[in-house]
Amino acid sequence: MNQETKTKGEIMLEKAEKIGSFWAFKEEPLSKDKQLLLFDNVQFIYELALAQLELKALGVEFEVTNGLREFRLLKDPEDVETLKRKLAYFKLIKGEYTDYFYIVRKNRTRSVNQYLTHWIYPYKGKFHPQMIRALLNIIGLNRGDTVLDPFIGSGTTAVEAQLLGINCVGIDISPLCVLQSKVKTESIEVLPEILEWKDEILSKVGVNLFNLDDKALDKVIDTIPNEKVRNFYLMAKLVAVSDNARRKKDFTKAFRKNLDLMIASVKDYIDIVEELNLKLGKVNIKVGDSRNLSLDDNSIDGIVTSPPYSIALDYVSNDAHALKTLGYDLKELREEFIGVRGKGQRRIDLYNEDMKRSLEEMYRVLKPGKYAVIVIGNATYQGKEIKTVEFIIDYAERIGFKLVKNIDKIIFGLYNVMQKENILIFRKEV
Ligand SMILES: C[S@@+](CC[C@H](N)C(=O)[O-])C[C@H]1O[C@@H](n2cnc3c(N)ncnc32)[C@H](O)[C@@H]1O
């Protein structure tokens, strides 16, 4: 294979082999005694807990041996094909690779979890996609079911649901998030048209070296009739705007490089659908307010989401450059965002009120007996810890949800800074 046609995943695997080490997705000799093998990148206790929960949810009888990392089948599973198709934390079952093993290798980045189109746009606070795949399994969703994420953010739930054949309704107040999520899931439908526009688009980038704001690129993007193709190029522009603003990269170079990578990732997505014969879920992403969902009562089969963590991250300031480029008035947008309005105690009160309304809406649209997963952490504001997790559990239980699992998600980041979040699984009681 020629070096250019390889994905970063393949290149990294080769490099790792050369230095006698292995990369996260090492190939294994395929033997039937490899009954159930975890991915090498699984390292945290919460991941091992989720790995066990997903096996249980999929009806697998197993035992965990040898210091938690080794799993053994106690009984031959009836439907190995379905397990191969769905599993998130295991790379091998009954001597065969899972679909996910092939999916994660379609990766154009250096980060193990930014495969396929996940990487497009550097959004802060993305979910870990492997965790979402597992959670979709844990709450028992199947092909044709519908999952809702009322805070869709960068679209992680949408991509993972789509890959599993689960339909997804994704809602976010931020037009930038809606754009990202759409591009990540819809561009695969229009790749030939994206390619047709490429030369014309490139001819308009960097024409005027002294004026990066020149509007030639915008003008040509505006003339693209197909919305999905237009969104793709708008996103390519925003990724370059972000590279230029945050990393001081040259806009034209960044645009060209990212555009090629974006096209390659969309192609990877199309290839993996074909290689694994995936039946994709339908995705419906729109701008909306989690406090007032335009969805029918009892219409959703599951919810997987992470709301803003109290006032932990100011999503409006964080994406200010991109939102401004899209032509939005930041002051107006701010009024509708949860967790960024008001100051001091008022800010916390407003957040709590907004979250109460969002929880009531989640409860209303979910079918009875079905599950809502909420990933959330406490935040520190003005030197004080805000107990968002307790607040959410309390209110959710008050309106008729039952907390069935509360998993501590503790991870150590850069400089050993501890990040603690909770994965809360609620059931809407019948
Ligand atoms: C923690 S992030 C979600 C991240 C997401 N799980 C991901 O993987 O990228 C929270 C999201 O809530 C959105 N948000 C804030 N207020 C909202 C509202 N009133 N309705 C819907 N979404 C809102 C923000 O724009 C932000 O994208």
Side-chain angles (χ1 to χ4, degrees):
M1 210 189 278
N2 152 334
Q3 202 69 7
E4 272 102 68
T5 59
K6 288 181 188 168
T7 64
K8 276 244 171 69
E10 286 159 339
I11 296 171
M12 278 196 267
L13 187 62
E14 264 175 28
K15 279 189 185 157
E17 273 163 7
K18 263 188 212 145
I19 56 169
S21 171
F22 62 83
W23 183 55
F25 307 114
K26 185 189 163 209
E27 281 180 61
E28 301 286 332
L30 287 175
S31 94
K32 286 275 173 203
D33 17 296
K34 292 266 167 51
Q35 292 200 330
L36 207 47
L37 201 64
L38 275 174
F39 273 103
D40 311 270
N41 66 318
V42 175
Q43 53 180 325
F44 298 110
I45 293 170
Y46 85 88
E47 292 180 301
L48 291 164
L50 292 179
Q52 295 189 44
L53 284 178
E54 84 163 333
L55 286 179
K56 274 190 203 150
L58 294 170
V60 179
E61 289 183 37
F62 65 96
E63 65 174 7
V64 189
T65 58
N66 193 11
L68 279 176
R69 285 203 64 92
E70 277 182 33
F71 286 71
R72 209 167 68 79
L73 290 174
L74 292 174
K75 210 174 123 197
D76 259 355
E78 271 169 32
D79 186 359
V80 177
E81 278 312 304
T82 300
L83 294 172
K84 249 174 66 188
R85 189 173 67 73
K86 287 184 154 187
L87 283 169
Y89 282 114
F90 298 87
K91 65 175 179 182
L92 273 177
I93 176 136
K94 298 275 303 171
E96 287 185 69
Y97 289 125
T98 54
D99 278 9
Y100 197 57
F101 176 76
Y102 294 104
I103 291 172
V104 293
R105 293 176 65 156
K106 300 275 188 198
N107 187 338
R108 301 276 166 181
T109 77
R110 289 198 189 90
S111 166
V112 290
N113 53 45
Q114 293 299 290
Y115 49 86
L116 297 179
T117 50
H118 276 303
W119 70 272
I120 297 174
Y121 199 77
Y123 185 75
K124 271 199 191 156
K126 281 182 190 175
F127 268 149
H128 199 301
Q130 190 173 30
M131 174 180 93
I132 299 307
R133 188 177 174 92
L135 287 169
L136 292 168
N137 287 330
I138 290 167
I139 63 170
L141 294 181
N142 291 310
R143 272 187 187 148
D145 286 344
T146 299
V147 66
L148 164 72
D149 185 343
F151 302 97
I152 192 75
S154 64
T156 316
T157 309
V159 174
E160 289 307 313
Q162 186 178 40
L163 284 166
L164 282 169
I166 297 165
N167 303 329
C168 176
V169 177
I171 287 168
D172 204 287
I173 202 77
S174 159
L176 174 67
C177 291
V178 168
L179 182 71
Q180 287 175 57
S181 306
K182 277 174 167 276
V183 167
K184 290 178 185 185
T185 51
E186 295 179 348
S187 302
I188 47 173
E189 296 165 32
V190 291
L191 183 60
E193 236 183 291
I194 288 173
L195 294 173
E196 275 167 29
W197 279 92
K198 190 178 169 196
D199 286 346
E200 184 162 357
I201 293 279
L202 285 179
S203 74
K204 299 292 188 284
V205 186
V207 181
N208 182 350
L209 285 179
F210 303 103
N211 180 8
L212 284 179
D213 286 336
D214 97 352
K215 295 280 176 257
L217 178 60
D218 291 350
K219 270 198 195 135
V220 64
I221 293 177
D222 280 348
T223 62
I224 302 176
N226 185 328
E227 193 201 333
K228 291 173 184 167
V229 181
R230 200 165 60 239
N231 284 345
F232 180 86
Y233 281 107
L234 198 53
M235 194 75 248
K237 181 185 145 189
L238 292 179
V239 178
V241 166
S242 158
D243 272 0
N244 178 255
R246 291 183 186 161
R247 302 195 208 155
K248 305 279 166 277
K249 287 197 182 156
D250 174 73
F251 177 84
T252 307
K253 278 194 200 149
F255 183 86
R256 286 174 179 270
K257 189 170 168 236
N258 285 320
L259 181 60
D260 281 340
L261 280 177
M262 280 174 68
I263 289 175
S265 301
V266 172
K267 174 96 178 39
D268 285 343
Y269 204 148
I270 293 169
D271 288 348
I272 200 71
V273 169
E274 207 179 289
E275 284 165 31
L276 298 173
N277 193 17
L278 300 178
K279 306 214 175 7
L280 296 183
K282 294 191 205 92
V283 175
N284 178 4
I285 312 278
K286 45 193 177 193
V287 173
D289 193 329
S290 59
R291 297 166 298 180
N292 186 12
L293 299 170
S294 52
L295 292 167
D296 291 339
D297 297 359
N298 308 321
S299 60
I300 294 291
D301 300 294
I303 295 174
V304 176
T305 196
S306 75
Y309 292 13
S310 177
I311 52 273
L313 188 63
D314 186 329
Y315 289 96
V316 181
S317 309
N318 204 44
D319 290 315
H321 54 275
L323 288 165
K324 270 194 218 146
T325 311
L326 285 172
Y328 289 98
D329 178 336
L330 298 192
K331 244 176 111 189
E332 258 174 45
L333 271 183
R334 200 167 260 284
E335 284 309 304
E336 307 300 323
F337 268 69
I338 294 178
V340 300
R341 285 174 296 135
K343 291 230 153 36
Q345 185 57 39
R346 169 111 183 105
R347 191 162 188 161
I348 299 166
D349 293 345
L350 282 172
Y351 173 83
N352 289 351
E353 282 314 307
D354 288 344
M355 282 313 299
K356 280 184 182 173
R357 284 167 62 192
S358 304
L359 286 166
E360 285 163 13
E361 280 295 82
M362 289 188 221
Y363 186 81
R364 179 180 68 78
V365 300
L366 192 64
K367 291 181 185 167
K370 300 287 184 180
Y371 297 88
V373 184
I374 300 179
V375 181
I376 187 123
N378 289 341
T380 307
Y381 182 54
Q382 300 182 330
K384 237 175 63 192
E385 193 187 25
I386 318 288
K387 304 235 183 254
T388 315
V389 180
E390 278 170 33
F391 174 80
I392 297 282
I393 297 176
D394 228 53
Y395 195 72
E397 295 222 289
R398 224 183 312 153
I399 60 173
F401 277 122
K402 184 176 183 335
L403 181 69
V404 288
K405 274 266 170 318
N406 178 355
I407 301 164
D408 276 348
K409 177 174 178 282
I410 300 175
I411 57 176
F412 287 91
L414 218 50
Y415 310 115
N416 285 336
V417 172
M418 187 183 87
Q419 237 183 306
K420 182 175 175 299
E421 297 166 336
N422 290 64
I423 304 168
L424 308 174
I425 308 185
F426 295 100
R427 188 176 54 234
K428 175 172 175 174
E429 292 298 75
V430 191

